[in-house]
């Protein structure tokens, strides 16, 4: 017996099942421990002005990758192919941080492999974002500490003299920072997919915005702007 796609779709529909992309590690969370920790965090932040509560998160970013989906003529649906750039694996890590009211955004920091990327050399070619380097373009304890001391704390101090609270996930590299004006609050293990504020849509919106800008630059020489707009729908 070989079930067709239609058979599987109708069977799933009858039983109330949907197809989703599995991600994150929330399946391994200790629910009771997470609930206790969440209650303690709420109690700690109960009387705090939400404007003083910040959240930080990192995300991998394939800055040269093009969307793998787009609209094509129906007669070309089986023959349409993407370009080599579609599967480009050039990546950096972005560190994002903002407060709960979205009234203060700490500058997005980029972490790459090269200590001095060639694209940022020369007059007028400086990086528009704070740039840090790490051999794997990942966030480790030293890079996160530099971000905290050189980017986050100065940005917060330029805006307020009040004590602030920084909500992070429970990565080991996040435990190496401290500052008298900042209290670090770690979320329960494996719960960032549920409780991480930046993961609730901010990061994906930033990536979509960047990819749309990238596509507009690629197709800027085309006569039809409509083609670019249709292609951009593949990003959404």
């Amino acid at each position: 017996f070989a079930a067709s796609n239609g058979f599987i779709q109708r069977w799933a529909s009858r039983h109330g099942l949907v197809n989703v992309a599995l991600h994150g590690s929330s399946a391994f969370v200790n629910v009771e421990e997470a609930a206790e920790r969440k209650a303690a965090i709420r109690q700690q932040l109960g009387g705090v002005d939400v404007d003083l509560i910040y959240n930080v998160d990192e995300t991998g970013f394939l800055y040269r990758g093009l969307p793998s989906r787009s609209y094509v003529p129906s007669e070309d649906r089986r023959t349409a192919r993407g370009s080599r750039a579609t599967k480009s694996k050039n990546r950096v890590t972005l560190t994002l941080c903002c407060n709960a009211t979205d009234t203060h955004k700490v500058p997005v920091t980029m972490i790459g492999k090269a200590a001095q990327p060639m694209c940022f050399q020369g007059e007028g070619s400086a990086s528009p974002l704070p740039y840090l380097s790490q051999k794997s373009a990942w966030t480790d304890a030293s890079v996160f500490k530099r971000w905290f001391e050189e980017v986050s704390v100065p940005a917060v101090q330029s805006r307020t003299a009040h004590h602030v609270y920084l909500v992070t996930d429970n990565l080991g590299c996040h435990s190496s920072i401290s500052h008298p004006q900042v209290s670090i609050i770690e979320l329960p293990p494996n719960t960032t997919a549920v409780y991480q504020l930046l993961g609730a849509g901010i990061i994906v919106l930033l990536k979509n915005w960047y990819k749309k800008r990238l596509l507009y630059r690629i197709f800027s020489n085309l006569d039809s702007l409509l083609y670019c707009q249709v292609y951009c729908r593949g990003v959404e």
Side-chain angles (χ1 to χ4, degrees), residues 37-51 53 165 167 185:
R37 176 58 181 156
K38 183 180 177 182
I41 293 175
R42 284 183 171 178
Q43 183 178 4
Q44 182 179 0
L45 299 177
V48 178
D49 184 355
V50 292
D51 196 51
I53 301 175
Y165 296 79
V167 180
I185 299 178

Side-chain angles (χ1 to χ4, degrees), residues 41 53 79 85 95 128 172-173 208:
I41 293 175
I53 301 175
T79 59
T95 302
C173 65
N208 287 348

Side-chain angles (χ1 to χ4, degrees), residues 148-199:
F148 181 73
E149 296 177 349
E150 300 176 13
V151 180
S152 176
V153 171
V156 170
Q157 289 180 335
S158 66
R159 185 175 188 271
T160 180
H162 291 85
H163 193 85
V164 300
Y165 296 79
L166 181 63
V167 180
T168 73
D169 50 30
N170 65 324
L171 288 179
C173 65
H174 292 172
S175 60
S176 62
I177 60 175
S178 63
H179 192 273
Q181 190 180 345
V182 183
S183 292
I184 309 300
I185 299 178
E186 293 188 356
L187 293 171
N190 303 322
T191 60
T192 56
V194 180
Y195 301 137
Q196 187 70 273
L197 304 179
L198 285 163

Side-chain angles (χ1 to χ4, degrees), residues 53-123:
I53 301 175
Y54 286 76
N55 179 219
V56 59
D57 196 13
E58 300 91 5
T59 181
F61 187 52
L62 303 178
Y63 59 91
R64 295 182 63 186
L66 298 177
S68 58
R69 303 182 66 88
S70 184
Y71 289 99
V72 297
S74 57
E75 59 269 19
D76 296 336
R77 60 183 300 181
R78 298 186 183 280
T79 59
R81 297 291 183 269
S83 66
R84 185 181 298 271
T86 300
K87 298 183 179 181
S88 174
K89 301 300 182 182
N90 300 96
R91 69 179 295 276
V92 294
T93 296
L94 300 181
T95 302
L96 293 85
C97 180
C98 66
N99 64 354
T101 58
D102 197 29
T103 56
H104 183 212
K105 304 177 184 67
V106 175
V108 178
T109 301
M110 181 166 49
I111 304 170
K113 295 181 180 180
Q116 295 182 338
M118 294 184 62
C119 60
F120 297 145
Q121 297 179 9
E123 186 178 355

